[in-house]
Amino acid sequence: MNNELYKLIYSIITILITSGCFGYINYNILEKLNVVVDRPNKEIDKKQKIMIFTGINISLYWILTTVLNYEIALSIVLVLLFDVVGTILIIAPLAKGIDYVINIIRRIFGQSYAENREIRDYIFNTNKIQTLFVFDFDNNLITCGYLDYQQSGDNNYFDLALIPLDAPENQYSFEQVVEETSKHKDSRILVDFEKKIKIYILRY
């Protein structure tokens, strides 16, 4: 009876691991770390990544239970520990290192820098103070302020929370903002062709 129960538990755990449940843990952690970013229309890419992580988990679980003869409970704990700690300390740095090398190769061949993140996340996610000036395509100032909060790029709705500047908005002209932006190498310009706005970003 104990042997049958053991086989049943082993089969259930194996189904959970092979079904991708554990692989999703790896993927979710890497996604939160902005190591992997999949667009909504690229569901196949997401599934492929989860399948790869699932394969790693299956191999690890098989080694622990079959080769090393560890108990099921201990094997599950070790696999879960790897999914959390191993993903953060091993898989994430390895993936970032591969991206870094690829970008070096791209630059050698005269190609642009490639990033996994959405453009908005790439621009706004920094620990520097950012002053934003939002203009329409006719160079009329819509609003300006210090960036307080912005939604992640995977959210289709584009919202910005700004803290008002010390001076009134009508004191800033398009020419002044462009001139000031050109003085700072770390400044950026985000052009949204869909909403027809230009965001001049000054970083300090």
Side-chain angles (χ1 to χ4, degrees):
M1 182 67 179
N2 289 334
N3 189 38
E4 292 180 358
L5 181 61
Y6 177 86
K7 289 181 178 179
L8 178 61
I9 295 175
Y10 185 87
S11 299
I12 294 173
I13 298 300
T14 302
I15 291 172
L16 287 174
I17 294 177
T18 55
S19 66
C21 294
F22 282 33
Y24 185 78
I25 297 175
N26 302 98
Y27 179 87
N28 192 47
I29 293 174
L30 292 176
E31 191 177 38
K32 293 294 186 293
L33 295 173
N34 286 323
V35 176
V36 296
V37 178
D38 289 322
R39 308 295 179 263
N41 60 341
K42 292 188 177 180
E43 191 67 22
I44 295 178
D45 290 345
K46 178 178 179 179
K47 291 179 179 179
Q48 289 175 342
K49 292 184 179 71
I50 293 177
M51 287 175 60
I52 292 173
F53 298 136
T54 299
I56 295 174
N57 286 319
I58 292 173
S59 300
L60 179 60
Y61 182 70
W62 180 82
I63 291 173
L64 292 172
T65 56
T66 305
V67 179
L68 300 179
N69 293 319
Y70 282 10
E71 294 292 330
I72 292 179
L74 178 59
S75 299
I76 294 173
V77 171
L78 291 176
V79 171
L80 289 174
L81 186 64
F82 169 78
D83 283 345
V84 178
V85 180
T87 300
I88 296 173
L89 299 181
I90 300 175
I91 298 178
L94 182 62
K96 289 182 179 179
I98 293 173
D99 284 341
Y100 179 76
V101 172
I102 290 175
N103 278 309
I104 290 178
I105 297 174
R106 287 176 63 89
R107 287 175 178 173
I108 291 174
F109 289 96
Q111 298 178 356
S112 62
Y113 184 81
E115 260 280 353
N116 286 326
R117 290 176 291 174
E118 289 272 5
I119 293 177
R120 296 208 309 266
D121 292 337
Y122 170 70
I123 290 179
F124 291 132
N125 289 349
T126 175
N127 56 1
K128 297 182 179 181
I129 297 175
Q130 299 183 94
T131 307
L132 274 58
F133 296 87
V134 184
F135 293 90
D136 60 21
F137 276 12
D138 293 323
N139 299 332
N140 298 311
L141 181 64
I142 298 174
T143 188
C144 59
Y146 300 108
L147 179 63
D148 184 41
Y149 176 79
Q150 67 95 19
Q151 291 179 316
S152 61
D154 57 2
N155 191 315
N156 292 328
Y157 195 78
F158 190 10
D159 261 347
L160 291 173
L162 302 179
I163 299 174
L165 300 178
D166 299 331
E169 292 185 2
N170 58 12
Q171 292 191 13
Y172 300 98
S173 67
F174 177 74
E175 290 75 16
Q176 290 174 327
V177 173
V178 171
E179 183 180 354
E180 189 66 24
T181 304
S182 64
K183 295 178 181 178
H184 301 274
K185 293 182 179 180
D186 201 30
S187 296
R188 297 290 186 272
I189 303 172
L190 175 61
V191 181
D192 190 325
F193 291 98
E194 181 181 351
K195 297 175 178 59
K196 297 182 179 180
I197 59 173
K198 299 179 293 185
I199 304 177
Y200 285 78
I201 305 159
L202 279 71
R203 294 174 174 173
Y204 303 98

